[in-house]
Amino acid sequence: ATKRQWKSKKARERFLRLRRMKQREEAGRRRRAQQKGSTGGLRAIQIEAIREDGTTELRTISDQRLVEEGCMQENAARYDQTRAPFSTPPMEEPLYSTFTGNRAESAVNQLVEGSFPIP
């Protein structure tokens, strides 16, 4: 086997880049031929479960229905911050009715201008 001579560093890098690209394409063709595509997403999650003595433990759930329910509960707890049990101040009275009622536009303008009277 003879050692390949390169005209420049750029030519060598281009050759290596093209070889990697061909290898990736070939691997993709092989996976498709063997019907081994992507795995399809989340298969298991860990949730905190409370024991009878009050301590918590991590449990791994792999049932699809339970994984979906666990993800929905986590998303609701993480992103739905305006509802009970820990509602944020703008969603409580009197601010809620002030910013959602008929006077909402004037209240928002006052807030932006910095002249809104904080109750």
Side-chain angles (χ1 to χ4, degrees):
T2 61
K3 189 173 181 180
R4 186 178 293 249
Q5 298 295 320
W6 302 102
K7 292 182 181 179
S8 68
K9 185 177 179 181
K10 269 188 169 181
R12 180 177 185 274
E13 289 173 355
R14 182 175 182 272
F15 172 79
L16 293 174
R17 205 169 38 247
L18 288 172
R19 184 167 62 182
R20 280 192 300 270
M21 187 172 68
K22 287 178 185 176
Q23 288 171 344
R24 280 195 302 267
E25 289 173 354
E26 181 61 31
R29 279 193 289 275
R30 236 182 274 121
R31 277 194 308 273
R32 283 190 296 278
Q34 295 172 350
Q35 297 177 348
K36 292 183 179 179
S38 65
T39 58
L42 196 58
R43 292 178 184 233
I45 60 170
Q46 287 188 328
I47 62 166
E48 285 187 358
I50 301 173
R51 295 181 184 158
E52 292 177 8
D53 61 357
T55 60
T56 60
E57 68 173 329
L58 284 178
R59 288 191 185 159
T60 302
I61 297 176
S62 59
D63 179 57
Q64 181 181 359
R65 184 182 59 78
L66 296 175
V67 168
E68 289 173 356
E69 288 176 5
C71 289
M72 286 189 285
Q73 288 172 357
E74 181 183 350
N75 287 339
R78 182 179 293 172
Y79 299 113
D80 195 11
Q81 300 173 357
T82 60
R83 289 183 175 70
F86 306 109
S87 60
T88 54
M91 296 306 287
E92 295 175 354
E93 291 298 337
L95 293 178
Y96 180 78
S97 59
T98 303
F99 287 106
T100 57
N102 296 335
R103 304 176 315 165
E105 186 175 347
S106 64
V108 169
N109 289 336
Q110 287 178 346
L111 186 66
V112 170
E113 294 168 358
S115 61
F116 180 76
I118 298 175

